[in-house]
Amino acid sequence: MSIYNRKKQRKARSLHIIIVGCGKVGNTLVERLIPDEHEITVIDQNAERIQQITDRFDISGVVGNGARFAVQSEAGVDTADILIAVTDSDELNLLCCVVAKRAAKCDVIARVRTPEYVQEADYLKEKLGLAMIINPDLQTAGAIARVLYMPTALSVNVFAGGQADMVRIKLQEGNALTGKKIMDLGSDRLSDVLICAVERGGEVVIPDGSFILQTGDVIVFIAQFRKGRSFLNNIGFQTHRVRDALLLGGGRCAYYLAKFLLEAGIEVTIIERDRNWCEVLSNELPQAVVINGDAANEELLAEAGIETVQAVVALTGFDEGNVFLTLHAREVSNAKLVTKVSRISFQQVIDHLDLGSVVYPQYITSEAIVAYVRTKTAQMHGDIETLVQLFTDRVEAIEFLVPEDSGVTGVPLSELRLKDQMLITCINRKGKIIIPRGHDMICPGDTVILVTTHKGIDCIDDALY
């Protein structure tokens, strides 16, 4: 067992976090948690992985089997606040959590991908004492399904227990919003929505009323559930859900996505090259059309209806393949395009390829875990209900539960001394959604959604000067 020890003095609001598994999700978690100045220790059986991540970040590392008590002890499990197991093995992740729970008082989080285990998630959480079970494939499938329900959107995120939607769209030439200041759009267009972030030329801003929207802008707006669809109709976007979808690749993510779509009455065709897995899919998803073949075969794609289908989702295990499949679909059809990308490098290149809605599973997975960590950090100050990272993590939308002693209560929003690049975009008051204006006030017990380009916001009072 090798140890790479770089322990640093912990700050008052930092945690000691152990991450078992230094794959894509493990690396993404470290990247997301480092700015919050937590003490992080990673465990992996691959010494090269440990060396690379400890060279890149100011963290400690232990080479060994994360399910062994001796290895966890070397990582400092006795002083850890949270252990997160994100190896490629569900069983190893669960065992890591069991050992940590017996050895210490830390919270434990496991990544679990196998559908059979996911069906027993509540049982496993209760019996094994897990704080959270994370399934990247299920989370990613849910994100894609929300987009296909509103296909003109690039992404749709849900807040306030499903009562508010945050929608990301791209303004095309001639759209009703282009060339106008936000303040001049009129209450008739913006009465039920709030534009809260804009990306232009690779830069992201939290706009004020004087901001002028332009063709090509990617905007994020928040709206009460169902009101977002009306707003899109009002500015010239088609909002009907897709009629049918072609899924290229039939892995776990495709399985979960197909279930969501079929339950919504959307026809599904899946192309998968593994014959045995095709039989499993056919048995589990009898309403879907499952084709055994190579999704990169143009003739097969044509036979599967790629030229007429309303949505094409590239879900193979290879990023390059997904990119090429999406580019091909864009050339031969007018379908809504969704591309799964597992690696987070070359983002600027990907952004320029017009791949439709691009989903990054490790970002989606890390969001829920980072939200949990932030909540634990801030448990004496407030509570994070939901955290979503937008524009590949350059913007965060955070839903906070507002405590009794918060400095944001009882003051009109126009008088709050919010820091730059911060915007309160929604108030949820006992299930009533308020898209706030300057005269609105926040009350204790409300949940509010803050959109910001700042990182490390643990409680709503962090938004104030």
Side-chain angles (χ1 to χ4, degrees):
M1 166 176 14
S2 301
I3 305 169
Y4 299 76
N5 193 0
R6 297 184 182 179
K7 289 193 176 181
K8 55 188 177 183
Q9 185 175 359
R10 289 170 61 184
K11 295 196 173 184
R13 291 175 66 176
S14 68
L15 304 176
H16 179 198
I17 302 169
I18 297 175
I19 299 174
V20 185
C22 293
K24 294 171 184 174
V25 174
N27 271 269
T28 303
L29 279 172
V30 173
E31 290 177 357
R32 298 291 168 271
L33 294 170
I34 276 289
D36 295 346
E37 299 187 318
H38 297 296
E39 179 189 332
I40 298 175
T41 305
V42 291
I43 300 174
D44 199 285
Q45 299 190 67
N46 186 317
E48 185 177 353
R49 282 184 172 182
I50 291 290
Q51 184 71 62
Q52 289 174 347
I53 198 168
T54 54
D55 285 346
R56 185 180 174 194
F57 301 104
D58 184 21
I59 62 174
S60 301
V62 177
V63 179
N65 182 344
R68 288 185 57 206
F69 171 71
V71 173
Q72 290 194 12
S73 295
E74 291 292 346
V77 71
D78 57 323
T79 63
D81 297 290
I82 303 175
L83 180 139
I84 307 167
V86 288
T87 75
D88 291 333
S89 167
D90 291 350
E91 290 78 8
L92 180 59
N93 292 338
L94 292 170
L95 184 56
C96 289
C97 290
V98 170
V99 171
K101 201 66 183 175
R102 295 294 178 90
K105 296 181 179 180
C106 63
D107 294 348
V108 291
I109 298 173
R111 181 175 80 161
V112 176
R113 301 178 67 186
T114 305
E116 290 83 356
Y117 290 151
V118 174
Q119 293 171 6
E120 300 174 346
D122 292 339
Y123 174 84
L124 291 172
K125 284 179 65 177
E126 178 186 354
K127 297 301 181 183
L128 301 183
L130 303 177
M132 182 184 296
I133 287 180
I134 290 292
N135 184 331
D137 302 306
L138 181 61
Q139 301 266 57
T140 302
I144 296 172
R146 289 193 294 273
V147 169
L148 297 185
Y149 299 155
M150 195 183 296
T152 48
L154 295 175
S155 65
V156 181
N157 295 106
V158 177
F159 291 86
Q163 295 302 305
D165 290 333
M166 186 167 283
V167 183
R168 188 164 62 100
I169 60 174
K170 186 172 184 177
L171 297 183
Q172 304 297 333
E173 186 172 358
N175 184 268
L177 300 186
T178 58
K180 294 184 174 62
K181 291 182 181 180
I182 292 177
M183 69 172 66
D184 294 337
L185 293 176
S187 59
D188 57 327
R189 289 196 190 277
L190 295 182
S191 59
D192 297 316
V193 307
L194 183 66
I195 296 174
C196 47
V198 180
E199 181 188 41
R200 178 185 299 164
E203 298 294 325
V204 181
V205 297
I206 308 300
D208 59 19
S210 64
F211 189 90
I212 300 175
L213 299 169
Q214 296 180 4
T215 298
D217 284 351
V218 177
I219 71 170
V220 175
F221 70 86
I222 192 162
Q224 186 175 348
F225 178 60
R226 299 187 188 280
K227 296 292 182 67
R229 194 179 298 273
S230 299
F231 171 68
L232 288 174
N233 275 326
N234 193 23
I235 62 173
F237 281 83
Q238 296 296 319
T239 59
H240 61 279
R241 68 175 55 185
V242 298
R243 178 190 65 245
D244 50 10
L246 175 61
L247 312 188
L248 308 181
R252 293 188 182 102
C253 183
Y255 164 77
Y256 292 122
L257 177 58
K259 287 193 69 174
F260 288 140
L261 299 182
L262 290 169
E263 288 170 1
I266 297 171
E267 298 176 9
V268 175
T269 300
I270 305 172
I271 300 179
E272 165 59 36
R273 65 191 310 169
D274 186 308
R275 185 174 186 83
N276 292 332
W277 184 242
C278 282
E279 293 179 2
V280 172
L281 291 174
S282 295
N283 291 330
E284 294 289 329
L285 304 168
Q287 293 174 288
V289 176
V290 180
I291 300 173
N292 178 217
D294 185 358
N297 185 311
E298 291 187 36
E299 291 184 6
L300 180 60
L301 290 173
E303 291 176 7
I306 193 171
E307 296 176 5
T308 58
V309 74
Q310 291 192 346
V312 176
V313 187
L315 295 170
T316 76
F318 302 97
D319 290 350
E320 295 85 352
N322 289 339
V323 170
F324 279 113
L325 288 169
T326 300
L327 292 175
H328 173 68
R330 192 183 68 185
E331 290 295 316
V332 301
S333 77
N334 293 315
K336 168 66 181 178
L337 305 176
V338 182
T339 311
K340 179 172 76 75
V341 177
S342 296
R343 285 177 294 185
I344 55 178
S345 53
F346 306 111
Q347 288 178 354
Q348 289 186 337
V349 175
I350 289 173
D351 288 344
H352 285 90
L353 288 178
D354 194 14
L355 300 175
S357 297
V358 180
V359 293
Y360 297 88
Q362 60 267 52
Y363 279 141
I364 295 171
T365 303
S366 69
E367 284 170 2
I369 297 175
V370 171
Y372 182 87
V373 172
R374 295 265 187 88
T375 298
K376 189 170 180 66
T377 304
Q379 59 189 354
M380 300 304 295
H381 306 272
D383 199 5
I384 294 177
E385 301 283 309
T386 311
L387 183 147
V388 171
Q389 294 167 325
L390 304 165
F391 301 111
T392 52
D393 94 322
R394 287 172 290 168
V395 173
E396 289 186 343
I398 314 168
E399 183 178 5
F400 292 101
L401 176 64
V402 180
E404 290 281 346
D405 59 351
S406 172
V408 303
T409 61
V411 181
L413 294 185
S414 60
E415 297 179 19
L416 281 180
R417 298 182 66 247
L418 290 178
K419 296 174 183 176
D420 293 337
Q421 294 296 298
M422 292 195 179
L423 184 65
I424 292 173
T425 63
C426 179
I427 301 171
N428 177 16
R429 183 165 297 150
K430 297 180 180 179
K432 178 184 178 183
I433 301 301
I434 302 168
I435 302 301
R437 303 301 180 225
H439 62 273
D440 288 306
M441 293 188 289
I442 299 169
C443 299
D446 289 347
T447 62
V448 301
I449 300 171
L450 176 75
V451 174
T452 178
T453 57
H454 296 273
K455 302 296 176 62
I457 305 298
D458 294 330
C459 65
I460 187 62
D461 285 345
D462 287 345
L464 300 175
Y465 278 113

